[in-house]
Amino acid sequence: MAPLRALRSRGRRPGLALGALAVAGTAAFAPSASAPTAPTPPPRTGFETSHGARWTSGAEETAFLAAVGRASPRVRVDRIGRTAQGRPLRLVRIGAPAPATPAAVRRGDSVLLICSQHGNEPAGREACLTTVRDLARARDAATAHFLRRTSVLVVPTANPDGRAADTRGNADRTDINRDHLALATPEARAIAAVLRDYHPDTVYDLHEYRPTAPCYDKDLLSLWPRNRNTAAPVHRASTALSRDFVAPAARRAGFTTGVYGIWTDPVTGAPVRQVAGDGQERILRNTAGIKGSLGLLVETRAVPLAEAERADPARFNRRRVAAQRAGLKGLFAFLGRQRGRIEAATAAARTAGLADRGPVHLGGADNEPPAADRILTRPPRAYRLDAAQLARVRAVLTAHGVRWRRDGDGGATVPLRQSLRALVPLLLDRRAPHHLVAGTPSDH
């Protein structure tokens, strides 16, 4: 394994109040003393009304988003699916005005927030909900300018059944964040449809983790796409989002930071152990990178370490949400300052597959070179599927946006010459660790 790197942590103790996000580090999203007073009180989440004593319920989320949507033309709320237990999966579209269709989403300037894929990790969801409201209600010129140029997409609760049960998995106990290849769950299918239809340039995935003191106990950890099929410009921009924007924003707010999955020496900050963070293609941050989007996983510490926080769970809950909001501040600063870089990186990644050149990796990560037999140095030009195989994977190919053509015998040919070139072998090559069917390689 290649040498590990970790972000050092520093910073003061944070305040307990939820900080206002800022556009490009210059102006607050939330209304401030200098902003005109709203004629009606802003909608508040259940988390806010309880001062952090409990998390926002599903019914409260429904009412909250409806109120925000009614009050602002910047926000549209749509149902994009239903869970196994019938709960709605929602997509919130934000802009100035809110994009009416996928075609209206800003190319090069769009971001997708995925909140609470794991139902027992609620802090990111609370940060997403209040961010939706703050973007909708802000009256400062900087926010209006930002939203005229940027489309913000939010899935506020990606796992409603798991959130209701306070479980990591969904109603079937499936980890949604290991289902972004096979799309066996309604939750993953809904997210895949958003990726396919809206082509967000940045995918920001909010989670929480359990620390191991003293080597793995930072307030906020982040990690970029490590799958080796991620285009180099997308990989570089994603690591910059983590290293140069999200982590510094969290530190400025008084939170400690690090790289997800990397234990560090508490004195020197040197990496000592890797416990997570591989390049597995089923994980959303990696799937996003393979599909040509910048990706970032963000994890806040879900277990209190200080005595005051153990004695006052609501205080600690507010701290968790504040850390997520600090990370979001860094994300929006990145979007405001790096538009050209983001657009160039994603455009290059999404057109590279049309050239149909270069290897495809079936394993490894950016810090772990794959074995030789895990690299398709000369991939086939296509994979042939018989009729039975096509029947098994047709819906998945369609959900991902993979192109294929039907053959005369009822099967299909799936070419590699397409935008999602690297995804095709991961789905159809028998050597890929999570392939769905073993297609027949073809050079015709």
Side-chain angles (χ1 to χ4, degrees), residues 394-430:
R394 178 176 179 173
V396 176
L397 297 178
T398 301
H400 281 301
V402 172
R403 293 190 302 103
W404 53 276
R405 62 179 182 269
R406 187 178 289 278
D407 295 335
D409 60 0
T413 297
V414 185
L416 265 68
R417 188 184 292 276
Q418 57 177 299
S419 178
L420 297 179
R421 176 179 183 264
L423 185 64
V424 173
L426 298 176
L427 292 166
L428 305 179
D429 195 290
R430 61 177 178 80

Side-chain angles (χ1 to χ4, degrees), residues 80-91 112 114-119 155 157-164 167-195 284 399-400:
I80 56 172
R82 285 197 180 275
T83 67
Q85 294 181 344
R87 293 184 174 88
L89 293 157
R90 297 186 181 94
L91 175 69
L112 171 63
I114 300 291
C115 318
S116 284
Q117 280 201 80
H118 295 145
V155 177
T157 308
N159 182 5
D161 292 350
R163 176 79 290 274
T167 57
R168 178 180 177 88
N170 66 359
D172 299 323
R173 300 184 179 180
T174 301
D175 185 338
I176 296 167
N177 204 27
R178 299 299 184 272
D179 188 37
H180 293 291
L181 191 72
L183 307 182
T185 63
E187 297 88 352
R189 289 194 294 273
I191 293 171
V194 174
L195 295 176
L284 181 59
H400 281 301

Side-chain angles (χ1 to χ4, degrees), residues 128-387:
C128 285
L129 289 171
T130 54
T131 295
V132 169
R133 178 199 59 213
D134 294 347
L135 288 171
R137 293 179 60 87
R139 297 294 178 263
D140 61 281
T143 301
H145 178 70
F146 177 82
L147 290 177
R148 283 194 296 270
R149 302 176 64 193
T150 310
S151 296
V152 180
L153 309 173
V154 184
V155 177
T157 308
N159 182 5
D161 292 350
R163 176 79 290 274
D166 195 29
T167 57
R168 178 180 177 88
N170 66 359
D172 299 323
R173 300 184 179 180
T174 301
D175 185 338
I176 296 167
N177 204 27
R178 299 299 184 272
D179 188 37
H180 293 291
L181 191 72
L183 307 182
T185 63
E187 297 88 352
R189 289 194 294 273
I191 293 171
V194 174
L195 295 176
R196 178 196 64 203
D197 296 342
Y198 290 88
H199 301 288
D201 297 283
T202 304
V203 178
Y204 189 89
D205 189 19
L206 296 84
H207 287 257
E208 296 192 87
Y209 82 104
R210 297 185 68 84
T212 302
C215 296
Y216 194 52
D217 59 358
K218 304 298 189 290
D219 297 313
L220 184 142
L221 305 174
S222 56
L223 189 63
W224 48 89
R226 292 203 116 140
N227 188 280
R228 293 180 72 91
N229 295 301
T230 303
V234 166
H235 182 269
R236 288 193 296 268
S238 299
T239 57
L241 168 59
S242 172
R243 180 188 62 240
D244 301 334
F245 288 87
V246 170
R251 291 196 295 267
R252 284 192 296 271
F255 298 102
T256 56
T257 66
V259 175
Y260 180 69
I262 305 297
W263 289 23
T264 56
D265 185 288
V267 177
T268 67
V272 296
R273 182 181 178 188
Q274 179 170 333
V275 295
D278 61 11
Q280 189 181 125
E281 58 267 24
R282 302 184 300 170
I283 299 172
L284 181 59
R285 63 178 164 80
N286 287 320
T287 307
I290 294 167
K291 291 184 174 182
S293 297
L294 277 63
L296 197 68
L297 170 77
V298 175
E299 304 254 359
T300 46
R301 178 167 56 82
V303 176
L305 298 180
E307 181 57 38
E309 292 175 350
R310 287 193 290 268
D312 186 352
R315 176 178 179 176
F316 178 59
N317 292 341
R318 295 195 299 269
R319 176 185 173 91
R320 292 157 65 180
V321 176
Q324 289 283 6
R325 284 180 62 93
L328 285 167
K329 180 176 179 178
L331 167 68
F332 285 111
F334 176 79
L335 298 175
R337 297 176 187 174
Q338 299 285 318
R339 295 178 186 278
R341 178 180 187 178
I342 296 168
E343 185 169 7
T346 56
R350 291 165 182 171
T351 58
L354 303 178
D356 196 15
R357 291 195 300 266
V360 174
H361 296 87
L362 304 180
D366 65 358
N367 64 342
E368 186 176 10
D373 63 353
R374 299 288 89 190
I375 305 174
L376 301 179
T377 55
R378 297 186 63 185
R381 299 187 66 178
Y383 289 88
R384 283 274 297 114
L385 305 178
D386 62 31

